[in-house]
Amino acid sequence: MLERALALLLAAAPLAAQEVAPRRLTLGAAVRAASSAPAVELAELRTEALRARIRQARAGYWPSLAVGGGWLNRTFNRASLGFDFPALPGTTPPPDLIGPFDNVDLRLRLAHPLFDWPTRARVRTARTQVTGSEAETAAVAEGAAQVVALAYLRAARARALIEARRADSALAA
């Protein structure tokens, strides 16, 4: 266990010793980068999911088609059904078992709503949720931009303070 930790530290040592060239970052670039923050992207995904719910709610306006079918092979015992068919004079009586025979049932149902109040209410509710989610996304993006701008200004202030201390030190020397 100790050997693994030591090996990881030795492997990471060259990475830590590498010099990273400083990059210039403007306040505008920092604020623009905040628009791709994870919290902003999650808020945008929630908004997109709610937009899909509008399309889902509109599905109630579309026609619906239902198809059903069934097949049954049956045999009846006429005595168990309570039917008593007397034999006509000069004929043989009907058998006790009737069948087997096939019974096929196919159904097709097409429905198209003319005006559907519940669907209209669902679409309106979904649109309201999208509006609220868009406002939330804008608030999250603005909050992320404020955090980034504040961090940028604090870093700029710290840099200026360091440069002032260096100038004071050089002047004192």
Side-chain angles (χ1 to χ4, degrees), residues 27 29-34 143-153:
L27 178 61
V31 170
R32 278 190 299 278
Q146 287 176 354
V147 167
V148 167
L150 185 61
Y152 182 88
L153 292 176

Side-chain angles (χ1 to χ4, degrees), residues 43-126:
E44 288 172 352
L45 288 174
R46 281 191 297 270
T47 302
E48 197 57 38
L50 289 173
R51 283 192 185 109
R53 284 193 182 172
I54 290 176
R55 293 188 295 273
Q56 184 180 14
R58 283 187 189 147
Y61 292 133
W62 299 345
S64 64
L65 177 68
V67 178
W71 170 77
L72 189 64
N73 187 335
R74 301 192 72 166
T75 301
F76 287 109
N77 184 340
R78 69 178 177 91
S80 68
L81 294 175
F83 295 122
D84 185 24
F85 296 111
L88 296 174
T91 63
T92 60
D96 286 339
L97 291 178
I98 302 172
F101 60 90
D102 291 331
N103 183 9
V104 178
D105 182 21
L106 295 174
R107 296 172 191 224
L108 181 67
R109 181 174 180 258
L110 177 66
H112 183 54
L114 296 177
F115 194 76
D116 191 5
W117 283 102
T119 298
R120 184 172 183 236
R122 281 190 293 272
V123 170
R124 192 173 348 125
T125 302

Side-chain angles (χ1 to χ4, degrees), residues 4 88 92 97 128-129 134 143 168:
R4 287 185 184 172
L88 296 174
T92 60
L97 291 178
T128 304
Q129 288 174 344
E134 286 171 347
D168 287 345

